[in-house]
Amino acid sequence: MSVRGDAAAAFQFLSRFPVKGGGDFSRDLLQRSVVYYPLVGAAIGLSAALGGGIAAWLLPAWPAAVITLILWVGLTGGLHLDGWMDSADALLSYRTRERMLEIMKDSRVGAMGVLACVLLLLLKASLLAAFIEGGSWAELPLLLLPPVWGRWYMVRAMARYPLARGNEGLAASFKGLPARQERRTLLLAALLSLAAAAAPLALGADSAWPQLLVAAILAPALALACGTLAARRISSRLGGLTGDVYGALNELLEALLLLLLVLLQHNL
């Protein structure tokens, strides 16, 4: 039991960063590792920001945005996109609860899952293009906010909603997640969020301070409000949440928080 081992487990579980020392993914380790989910998000966001900055220096906004998104998705191994597609196939089928859960377990992707994935990636690419084109390179650290708060809400959903499949599936490893884990995750997400908002000031984007301040305040509020609305709606239909739904919530919140950044950039 160590901070390093718990953090390594979070990186190994949620990303493709070459991190060693995570352990055997026991239930106890998985529950301890959730505290570091926002840190994984910050590493993904920082990598995307650096990649986006380099790409934007060499290319127009749209190609730079697509390259940034490829890097972003690649670092997750498509883990959460898979949950997004499976959830779309199930929830948009409008079948019975039992049938929707069966659809989620099916390894094949249906038409609704493909459509949902394509539309989500198009939305994210367009928002990244607008953000890259509309701001300076010093504002790129704000890209840490969507993956940080998306992964924070995954932990909140684990702690606050029942499991649709009871003790079945990987999500069952997080059953009974202690409330202190959720609080510690929130604290880390808040610290990372403040660092992401302060970084542009250190890089010389002094005139953007209203945007930075509002982003740091609204990002967690939007993640909480929209995440709660979506989680409650899905839980009422499935009788709880699943591992696929956790990933889908993360994808949804990342897109909404990117939209928030673009709106603030163009209106403040």
Side-chain angles (χ1 to χ4, degrees):
M1 180 177 178
S2 67
V3 170
R4 181 177 179 180
D6 295 348
F11 274 88
Q12 291 174 354
F13 188 61
L14 293 183
S15 77
R16 292 297 181 266
F17 287 106
V19 176
K20 297 181 180 180
D24 58 358
F25 291 117
S26 64
R27 177 176 177 175
D28 185 50
L29 176 60
L30 286 172
Q31 291 205 1
R32 295 198 312 269
S33 71
V34 300
V35 173
Y36 301 98
Y37 280 16
L39 184 62
V40 178
I44 292 171
L46 180 60
S47 299
L50 292 172
I54 295 171
W57 181 52
L58 298 170
L59 298 165
W62 259 99
V66 173
I67 290 173
T68 303
L69 185 57
I70 291 173
L71 175 61
W72 194 320
V73 173
L75 288 173
T76 69
L79 175 66
H80 307 307
L81 274 177
D82 181 68
W84 172 263
M85 289 187 288
D86 287 344
S87 297
D89 274 334
L91 295 169
L92 298 178
S93 71
Y94 297 100
R95 304 291 181 87
T96 63
R97 171 187 177 274
E98 291 73 20
R99 180 56 182 148
M100 285 191 288
L101 290 175
E102 288 178 7
I103 291 172
M104 280 190 180
K105 291 179 69 174
D106 194 331
S107 60
R108 295 169 296 181
V109 179
M112 298 310 297
V114 172
L115 182 60
C117 182
V118 170
L119 292 176
L120 178 72
L121 292 176
L122 281 173
L123 176 60
K124 282 189 170 183
S126 66
L127 292 171
L128 284 169
F131 186 75
I132 289 171
E133 188 174 33
S136 67
W137 64 271
E139 295 173 24
L140 287 173
L142 288 177
L143 289 179
L144 273 70
L145 296 179
V148 164
W149 289 107
R151 282 157 187 78
W152 163 76
Y153 194 82
M154 288 174 61
V155 178
R156 182 178 175 85
M158 291 171 184
R160 298 201 173 225
Y161 293 90
L163 296 174
R165 294 196 178 97
N167 293 322
E168 296 181 13
L170 184 60
S173 299
F174 302 99
K175 185 176 182 179
L177 189 68
R180 67 177 182 276
Q181 297 295 78
E182 183 190 349
R183 293 193 295 269
R184 293 171 64 190
T185 306
L186 176 59
L187 176 60
L188 180 58
L191 293 174
L192 291 168
S193 184
L194 290 174
L201 296 177
L203 294 172
D206 297 335
S207 61
W209 70 264
Q211 172 194 347
L212 305 175
L213 177 62
V214 175
I217 295 172
L218 288 186
L222 182 65
L224 176 61
C226 295
T228 299
L229 182 64
R232 284 180 178 175
R233 175 60 176 163
I234 294 171
S235 183
S236 69
R237 295 186 62 191
L238 296 179
L241 304 183
T242 69
D244 283 329
V245 173
Y246 297 150
L249 289 171
N250 175 75
E251 290 292 339
L252 173 65
L253 293 178
E254 282 188 348
L256 291 175
L257 290 171
L258 280 173
L259 177 60
L260 172 67
L261 293 181
V262 173
L263 286 172
L264 292 177
Q265 186 183 67
H266 287 76
N267 290 280
L268 288 180

